[in-house]
Amino acid sequence: MTKTALVVGASGIVGSATAALLVEQGWTVHGLARRPTGQANVHPVVADLQDAEATKTALFGIEPDAVFITTWLRQDSEAENIRVNSAMVRNLLHGLPKPTRPRHVALVTGLKHYLGPFEAYGKGKLPQTPFREEQGRLDIENFYYAQEDEVFAAAERDGFTWSVHRPHTVIGKAVGNAMNMGTTLAVYATLCRETGRPFTFPGSAAQWSGLTDMTDAGQLARQLLWAAETEAAHDQAFNIVNGDVFRWQWMWARIAKWFGLEAAPFDGTPQPLEQQMADDAELWRRIAERDHLVEPDLSRLASPWHTDADLGRPIEVVTDMSKSRRLGFTGYQPTDDAFFALFEQLRTDRLIP
């Protein structure tokens, strides 16, 4: 029988990639979002997860074999992040009919599980790298932990299995996404080429010289599906990255070359994109009008604040994938290829010239 999935946050980077993979694999897919994007063969479910009754109404009649939670809402403080994002997970899981057959719920969080929330990001006593799942939680409030706790409580109440997935920075396409390094760098490179500005690495010397990794949205989607379908992966948390490691001093030159640029020399001084791009909204609007791009609003494409947070870290960040490898997940994605594939898609979809 055809399996049914509910992808929560289906218009985002991870949600859209997950929905596409599930459709490809023959699942019936319902995609929940506040503003669905009309993805092919995905049944749209319009809901605001902050509204418990409206969520329950929107989910009426949907009895999924698997639920993939790939969404969150950024707030002004970690206390508000915890309140809002835990309530969204709680409203979702209360709003679904109680399962009458086996159900799996997968929650996507990230490496802030190990690095701490935005207000204490990369500070204090952190676990050793590479990060491993058994290192557990930091002694600090974190909305990822609150989301997990809602899943655990609902699983105990309703009898479903669960998995938690912790990607590093995700590479993929979405418009209006709060955390979107790939598109941010594509827009920044386009602006540098347009104006003749140097294509300058905006982050820290530690990130420039140290090892790091990233997560392609398709790689994450494959692990989500694997965990849903693999009994040994149930009731487990997993890191998920591409499988390669790199240094930004190498990757920066690769990205520059793709856009026909020379990478500027890096002297170790951070030059945050939030400052470099602060006055570029009108310039981007003119570029979009001239080149017939579909999104003239720079703020819906670029998230400099998040890219600065990742590239400005004072520590090396590398992720261990041994746990899922031992259980049979063998996905691999070279990170430079992931960037290049995204850039091609952005160009094809008329999001960059």
Side-chain angles (χ1 to χ4, degrees), residues 111 113-115 126-136 166 168 211-213 239-241 243-245 315-323 326:
L111 293 196
H113 183 94
Y114 308 108
L115 287 162
L126 300 174
Q128 288 185 336
T129 57
F131 296 138
R132 293 181 171 87
E133 295 90 345
E134 64 268 21
Q135 289 168 322
R166 300 170 186 157
H168 198 167
L211 290 172
T212 194
D213 47 31
N239 295 331
I240 173 62
V241 287
D244 63 347
V245 293
I315 57 172
E316 180 178 274
V317 177
V318 183
T319 314
D320 183 75
M321 282 275 290
S322 298
K323 185 177 181 180
R326 289 189 178 105

Side-chain angles (χ1 to χ4, degrees), residues 70-218:
T70 71
T71 189
W72 71 288
L73 283 178
R74 186 189 181 198
Q75 305 299 310
D76 291 335
S77 69
E78 192 58 21
E80 279 298 288
N81 276 330
I82 291 168
R83 184 186 68 81
V84 170
N85 289 285
S86 62
M88 288 168 59
V89 174
R90 183 167 61 252
N91 292 342
L92 168 73
L93 296 177
H94 274 285
L96 284 167
K98 189 175 177 66
T100 58
R101 58 183 185 270
R103 177 179 294 169
H104 185 79
V105 174
L107 171 68
V108 177
T109 61
L111 293 196
K112 285 188 287 295
H113 183 94
Y114 308 108
L115 287 162
F118 292 116
E119 292 177 5
Y121 189 62
K123 300 175 183 176
K125 184 174 176 57
L126 300 174
Q128 288 185 336
T129 57
F131 296 138
R132 293 181 171 87
E133 295 90 345
E134 64 268 21
Q135 289 168 322
R137 295 180 175 185
L138 301 175
D139 186 19
I140 188 170
E141 295 295 311
N142 188 322
F143 82 88
Y144 282 170
Y145 306 161
Q147 288 181 308
E148 287 183 346
D149 288 342
E150 292 293 343
V151 171
F152 301 157
E156 185 173 352
R157 180 190 69 227
D158 293 338
F160 58 75
T161 61
W162 56 267
S163 57
V164 175
H165 303 260
R166 300 170 186 157
H168 198 167
T169 305
V170 177
I171 302 170
K173 180 201 164 191
V175 176
N177 192 272
M179 300 191 296
N180 195 341
M181 180 189 286
T183 304
T184 299
L185 294 182
V187 168
Y188 174 59
T190 300
L191 290 166
C192 288
R193 188 177 61 202
E194 177 78 14
T195 61
R197 298 180 204 163
F199 186 61
T200 302
F201 181 72
S204 68
Q207 290 302 302
W208 178 254
S209 301
L211 290 172
T212 194
D213 47 31
M214 292 184 71
T215 308
D216 179 70

